[in-house]
Amino acid sequence: MARFTLPRDLYHGKGALEVLKTFKGKRAIVCVGGGSMKKFGFLDRAVGYLKEAGMEVALFEGIEPDPSVETVMKGAEAMLNFEPDWIVAIGGGSPIDAAKAMWIKYEYPECTFGEMCKVFGIPELRRKARFCAISSTSGTATEVTAFSIITDYSKGIKYPIADFEITPDVAIVDPDLAETMPKKLVAHTGMDAMTHAVEAYVSTANSDFTDPLAIHAMEMIMENLVPSYEGNMAARDNMHNAQCLAGMAFSNALLGIVHSMAHKTGAAFADYGAHIIHGAANAMYLPKVIAFNAKDEKAKARYGTIADYMHLGGESDDEKVQMLIDYLRGLNDQLNIPHCIKNYGPDSFPCDQGFVPEEVFLERLPEIAKNAIADACTGSNPRQPCQAEMEKLLKCCYYDTEVDF
């Protein structure tokens, strides 16, 4: 038996934020990140709508990119003091992911972070509060997913929390918010969405319910990502829907080792001056993982189907896989994303020598590979790597060398 779970309600289209004024409750806490939602007036509008609904409203502000365990605990404490019956998270993936984890701790104060990370092991939520997610970026789709990514900076590891219990009750997908994204964020979130769709389609947990969502998301991203990056706002609006469709697919079909590797490399070199931004990591690793997974005949055939839907050409599945890899690498070039860790600069743009020195990468490689294999996303990858294979694959992602194993 399989399961397909989405938010109870999804409000989409321009002006969808206004639905907040129809919510029923006594108290709402709004979780938000940096200043963009305040700067562009969306935070004030959200608070105003909730007050119009008759609710007392509190704010938990300043959730950082790649939210930490410490931030989660502080937010949960704020919730325990305020006792909201609605948790409203607005912004990119970070505030929404953080608020999901805070929600668990709010409902179960005794729950440790380690217990939160037990895959599909969270107890029943909604005893105290319901959850509304309002996305401002077009990539993570956390507004419709059963996932949250929290970083333990003491270990330099990003941990996925995975459970259908943290699927939001309400998702608001209002493209007005996404139109404020800076260009670099459009690129990274767009490639995150593409990776979600591709990994969901070849996942061992794919189904008749997830495949159409994944395929249509890929078609929409192919048509709209580059124009969105170049400033076309109609394409930007379409990307906001496309990433949500990809999220619906992967939340139910799960992901693969592109995400496992991105989770475990993202913060692994923070002591050398930068993170590997999640969407950029996915963009760099996806072509390599496709080459690795395509050694599995079933996965190769599904990549071939993707290439067919995207009209990339090729006669055999081998040719189609190569066409798909070439297309994705070309997309990275158009979006100014490097092809490998070695060339990943502190500002995320391509450079001759990135912020991760070769000797540091090689020294940390065995531990990163071990952690990637243990990541929650690895189990649904179509080809299961051993330690040696994961190390070789990560080396290919560092040096941009061919995957021939």
Side-chain angles (χ1 to χ4, degrees), residues 36 38 53 74-75 93 147 166 232 292 348 377 385:
S36 64
K38 182 179 288 187
K74 288 177 185 175
F147 296 92
I166 61 171
N232 182 316
F292 175 79
S348 84
C377 294

Side-chain angles (χ1 to χ4, degrees), residues 201-402:
Y201 192 74
V202 300
S203 161
T204 57
N206 74 77
S207 72
D208 291 338
F209 297 90
T210 59
D211 283 352
L213 294 166
I215 287 293
H216 190 49
M218 283 182 259
E219 292 173 327
M220 290 184 71
I221 294 165
M222 185 179 191
E223 182 177 350
N224 291 286
L225 177 52
V226 172
S228 173
Y229 179 72
E230 293 174 344
N232 182 316
M233 287 302 152
R236 185 79 52 88
D237 295 353
N238 290 337
M239 277 298 301
H240 209 43
N241 288 343
Q243 64 87 30
C244 189
L245 295 175
M248 293 179 186
F250 91 77
S251 186
N252 291 279
L254 307 179
L255 291 165
I257 59 172
V258 177
H259 273 76
S260 302
M261 294 157 64
H263 292 156
K264 296 336 184 201
T265 55
F269 309 102
D271 53 332
Y272 278 81
H275 276 68
I276 301 176
I277 296 171
H278 180 70
N282 284 340
M284 293 189 296
Y285 306 163
L286 179 57
K288 304 301 184 189
V289 170
I290 290 173
F292 175 79
N293 285 342
K295 304 297 189 294
D296 175 271
E297 290 299 319
K298 186 174 181 181
K300 182 197 296 185
R302 290 186 74 81
Y303 288 130
T305 301
I306 290 172
D308 288 341
Y309 274 105
M310 296 173 79
H311 307 289
L312 297 178
E315 295 296 325
S316 66
D317 282 337
D318 286 324
E319 290 179 359
K320 291 173 185 178
V321 168
Q322 190 58 52
M323 293 284 191
L324 178 59
I325 289 171
D326 291 345
Y327 165 74
L328 292 168
R329 288 178 63 87
L331 197 53
N332 288 349
D333 288 335
Q334 292 180 78
L335 300 172
N336 205 22
I337 296 173
H339 290 297
C340 62
I341 299 171
K342 180 182 177 183
N343 299 133
Y344 182 93
D347 58 2
S348 84
F349 294 124
C351 65
D352 289 336
Q353 178 55 58
F355 74 90
V356 182
E358 180 180 24
E359 64 274 13
V360 173
F361 173 80
L362 293 174
E363 178 186 349
R364 299 181 184 182
L365 176 61
E367 185 69 14
I368 292 170
K370 183 183 78 172
N371 290 334
I373 290 171
D375 188 89
C377 294
T378 299
S380 47
N381 194 70
R383 185 180 171 201
Q384 290 296 301
C386 65
Q387 176 75 18
E389 288 170 333
M390 181 60 82
E391 289 187 22
K392 287 172 69 175
L393 187 55
L394 283 161
K395 282 185 179 180
C396 291
C397 292
Y398 183 85
Y399 296 109
D400 191 22
T401 49
E402 184 179 354

Side-chain angles (χ1 to χ4, degrees), residues 133-145:
I134 307 164
S135 56
S136 68
T137 60
S138 301
T140 69
T142 189
E143 73 274 6
V144 293
T145 74

